[in-house]
Amino acid sequence: DILVAQSPSSLSASVGDTVTITCRSSQGIGNFLAWFQQKPGKAPRPLIFSASTLLSGVPLNFSGSGYGTDFTLTIRSLQPEDFATYYCQQYRRYPLTFGGGTRVDLK
Amino acid sequence: QVQLVESGGGVVQPGTSLRLSCVASGFMFSSYGLHWVRQAPGKGLEWVAGISSDGGEKNYRDSVKGRFTISRDNSKNTVYLQMSTLSPEDTAMYYCARDRVAILVGALDYCGQGALITVSS
């Protein structure tokens, strides 16, 4: 299985900050990487696919980058509704695998 | 708008069976692959199984192979997850999710609200 490691596991930030979450895969996956947002008690919300393509309706303060084994999710000008847990997921090979999650909470 | 609505969750005893359903609306159901993703209480996301648009391709994670079966009925806009020999380790919220395309690429673009399964004696 392709392992996906996320860091940090949690971070504290303020409204208006820029935060960066890193995802590293155990082998090269090209750009077959997605990002999800999940709020407590809610379903995960897909945000990004192909490492950097925003899904419809995703605010433009979200961006993704990376290729191969190293990827980042950047959230600029953090908004109150952005405090959540974020997961990356590789889909280069089955089984699909997720990172362990990064919780972004209010400083 | 795209909607995925899961049902069939509940509390079951170890070793028993259960079937989850996911009814879809707001899109051409027969044109998209579908997946089940689960999340144990307080844990991260875990992919379980996927099925292509025509049902011809199916994939499972190793821990459920031989116990879980994914299927779909395109005439009813419904995808199913038949689960047998359930164990406490299967306790989780189960989410239905849509693939962006007909084949099982694995890029998901919508998730349902989930169905909770608790396996306990």
Side-chain angles (χ1 to χ4, degrees), chain B residues 30-111:
Chain B
S30 59
S31 295
Y32 292 87
L34 291 157
H35 301 262
W36 289 97
V37 174
R38 68 185 179 185
Q39 186 170 36
K43 302 296 185 182
L45 300 170
E46 181 177 82
W47 172 81
V48 176
I51 186 167
S52 60
S53 61
D54 64 357
E57 180 185 7
K58 300 177 185 179
N59 277 314
Y60 301 91
R61 68 178 304 102
D62 283 350
S63 61
V64 308
K65 278 181 187 173
R67 298 190 301 124
F68 289 12
T69 301
I70 189 170
S71 62
R72 63 190 293 160
D73 185 339
N74 285 350
S75 69
K76 296 182 178 179
N77 284 10
T78 303
V79 62
Y80 304 98
L81 187 67
Q82 178 69 48
M83 301 175 287
S84 63
T85 321
L86 285 161
S87 74
E89 290 69 41
D90 297 314
T91 293
M93 183 72 81
Y94 284 73
Y95 298 103
C96 173
R98 192 183 82 165
D99 205 305
R100 290 192 62 251
V101 295
I103 59 174
L104 290 182
V105 168
L108 312 179
D109 62 358
Y110 289 93
C111 293

Side-chain angles (χ1 to χ4, degrees), chain A residues 13-85:
Chain A
S14 301
V15 173
D17 284 353
T18 294
V19 301
T20 299
I21 299 167
T22 296
C23 186
R24 176 166 287 177
S25 58
S26 60
Q27 58 185 266
I29 59 171
N31 68 341
F32 290 87
L33 188 102
W35 291 97
F36 294 74
Q37 176 193 67
Q38 188 177 35
K39 297 180 180 179
K42 300 295 186 182
R45 175 192 180 188
L47 298 175
I48 288 171
F49 68 97
S50 295
S52 61
T53 303
L54 266 61
L55 284 161
S56 175
V58 175
L60 296 180
N61 63 314
F62 287 86
S63 64
S65 65
Y67 188 89
T69 59
D70 295 302
F71 302 86
T72 58
L73 173 70
T74 300
I75 312 171
R76 293 184 169 79
S77 186
L78 204 63
Q79 298 299 300
E81 59 269 25
D82 300 333
F83 292 96
T85 299

